[in-house]
Amino acid sequence: MPYKYWHAINKIFNFLAEEYNIYFILCTATLPMIFENSVELLNNKDEYFKKMNRTKMKIYKNEMDLEEFIDIVSEDIENNPNDDYLIVLNTIKSSKEVYNALREMDLEGDFYYLSTSIYPKERLRRIKDINKNKNRKIIVSTQLIEAGVDISVDVIYRDIAPLDCLNQTAGRCNRHNEGKRGIVNIVKLIDENGRRFASYIYEKHLITKTEELLNNYDVIDEREFLKLNNKYFKKLSNYKDKSKEILRTIEEFKYENIEKEFKLIENIPSIDLFVCIEDRAEEVWEEYEGIKEINDVFERRREFLKIKKEFYDYVISIPEYDIKGKDILFGHLDKINEKYYDEETGFKVVENKTIIL
C-alpha cells in the first residue's frame, strides 16, 4: 500500500469497520503504520523477533558501478564455493548485464536468471528447479523475487531499495535457519551516467528515508529488523499524504474520478506478448486463434476462459517504449525466434530501447 494513500485507506477502512461491522486482517512481514488502533493477534510479537537471528545485513556506504560490483561479487563467489548466492538488481538491464558477466567467468555452480522478461511458466519451472537442485546455485534476479518466492540461499547482494523491500529480500536468506548465519549485502549501484538504478524504480523519498536509517549501521542483526522497520514507517507516516483529495472526491460522490486519482499499482503503458518457445505454447496459441473466429462474444469469452490460465503462462508484458516503432505489435513471438527472445534471459532490448533485430 503506497504511503501516499495511507490517510485515505485509514479513513475508508475505519468507516467500513465501524458502520458495516467489517473486520480487516493484515498479514505481512513488514507491517506499515496505517492503523493506530489495530489489534495484534500475537501479544508478544517482539519476543519472537528477538529470537530471530538467521541473517545479518551488511551495509556498503559508497556507490559503485556495475563493473566494480561484478568484481566484488565474483570474488566472493569464488572464495566461498559451498555457498548459494542470490543477486537482486533493480532493473532488467542491470540484472542481465550482471548475469551475463558472471556467466562468462569460470565460476563453479548452476546459474539461474529470473525477471519478468521470462514468461511465467518458465519462471516457475526455474524456481522449482532451484529448490530441487542440491548443487551450488548462483541466482540473478530482479525484485520479483520478493513476492512469495520460497527459496533460500546463503548470501544475498541487493541493490538499494525501500527498507520494506530489503526486508522482503532478506527473507530469502537462510530462510529455514539451515546452518550458519546468512549475509545480506546492501549496495548502491549506479549506471554509466552516474544515476542510481534505484531511481528508475522507486520514489526518491523512500530511498532517502531508508538511507537515513541504514547509514547509522555497518552491520544489522535480524533481531533488529522489526525496530528498524517501525522507525522507517514512522518516518513515512509523518510525510505529507497525497490522498486527502481522494477522500474529497468520495465525499462529493464523484466516483468516476477515483480510478484516475487512486492507483494501487502504477500502470506503465505496455503490450502483452505471447511467447511461443515450446511446443505446448504453440498449441495454446492455435487454440486462441480458433477462438477468435467465433462470432458470438459470449461463447468466445466462455471458450477463452477454458484456456485463460494456461494462455497467460506464456504471456509477458513489455513497456511500450521498448518496442515502439517496431514490427512486433502483433503480440506473438514466433517459436524459437532468437531475434526477440533469448532462452536464458528472455525478451531482448538494446541500448536505444528497440528490439534487437
Side-chain angles (χ1 to χ4, degrees), residues 274-290:
F274 187 94
V275 182
C276 270
I277 202 168
E278 54 183 82
D279 291 341
R280 180 54 189 157
E282 192 66 45
E283 293 170 3
V284 172
W285 179 261
E286 289 174 4
E287 289 181 47
Y288 171 70
E289 290 281 81

Side-chain angles (χ1 to χ4, degrees), residues 145-189:
I145 204 78
E146 296 167 8
V149 178
D150 185 14
I151 66 172
S152 181
V153 299
D154 303 294
V155 181
I156 291 177
Y157 280 86
R158 175 63 163 103
D159 194 4
I160 189 72
L163 188 65
D164 52 332
C165 297
L166 300 182
N167 280 335
Q168 292 286 357
T169 302
R172 276 71 197 159
C173 188
N174 194 18
R175 188 171 177 82
H176 309 295
N177 202 19
E178 294 98 334
K180 66 177 183 179
R181 291 178 69 194
I183 302 175
V184 182
N185 300 281
I186 307 301
V187 296
K188 302 169 185 177
L189 301 180

Side-chain angles (χ1 to χ4, degrees), residues 150-284:
D150 185 14
I151 66 172
S152 181
V153 299
D154 303 294
V155 181
I156 291 177
Y157 280 86
R158 175 63 163 103
D159 194 4
I160 189 72
L163 188 65
D164 52 332
C165 297
L166 300 182
N167 280 335
Q168 292 286 357
T169 302
R172 276 71 197 159
C173 188
N174 194 18
R175 188 171 177 82
H176 309 295
N177 202 19
E178 294 98 334
K180 66 177 183 179
R181 291 178 69 194
I183 302 175
V184 182
N185 300 281
I186 307 301
V187 296
K188 302 169 185 177
L189 301 180
I190 57 175
D191 64 15
E192 63 275 9
N193 299 315
R195 180 178 174 180
R196 287 193 182 183
F197 288 102
S199 70
Y200 293 98
I201 306 297
Y202 304 110
E203 290 184 46
K204 183 180 179 180
H205 177 71
L206 300 178
I207 301 298
T208 299
K209 294 303 178 186
T210 297
E211 288 189 282
E212 285 177 6
L213 292 169
L214 295 185
N215 286 340
N216 296 320
Y217 300 87
D218 292 317
V219 177
I220 309 170
D221 289 330
E222 184 183 9
R223 57 170 63 100
E224 297 182 65
F225 287 0
L226 178 61
K227 180 175 67 175
L228 203 63
N229 209 58
N230 289 338
K231 286 182 179 180
Y232 170 72
F233 284 127
K234 185 68 175 175
K235 283 177 176 286
L236 292 187
S237 65
N238 293 329
Y239 189 68
K240 184 180 178 182
D241 196 293
K242 301 178 181 178
S243 60
K244 292 181 181 178
E245 294 179 8
I246 296 173
L247 289 175
R248 195 177 303 116
T249 302
I250 294 172
E251 290 167 358
E252 295 172 355
F253 300 101
K254 296 178 180 178
Y255 297 122
E256 69 277 7
N257 295 331
I258 294 296
E259 187 177 355
K260 300 174 186 175
E261 297 181 20
F262 183 93
K263 294 188 182 298
L264 197 59
I265 299 175
E266 292 295 330
N267 182 35
I268 300 174
S270 61
I271 293 173
D272 287 343
L273 297 177
F274 187 94
V275 182
C276 270
I277 202 168
E278 54 183 82
D279 291 341
R280 180 54 189 157
E282 192 66 45
E283 293 170 3
V284 172

Side-chain angles (χ1 to χ4, degrees), residues 30-77:
T30 50
L31 184 66
M33 292 181 175
I34 301 176
F35 307 101
E36 295 177 359
N37 58 342
S38 60
V39 177
E40 284 282 357
L41 295 180
L42 188 64
N43 294 326
N44 55 344
K45 181 178 73 173
D46 290 355
E47 292 302 314
Y48 281 87
F49 272 82
K50 287 178 183 177
K51 297 181 188 303
M52 288 289 188
N53 210 24
R54 299 166 297 176
T55 62
K56 59 183 177 182
M57 194 177 284
K58 181 179 177 182
I59 313 301
Y60 285 75
K61 302 291 178 63
N62 298 325
E63 295 178 339
M64 63 180 83
D65 59 24
L66 287 185
E67 186 176 349
E68 184 181 355
F69 175 67
I70 290 166
D71 287 341
I72 290 172
V73 173
S74 59
E75 183 178 356
D76 193 1
I77 292 173

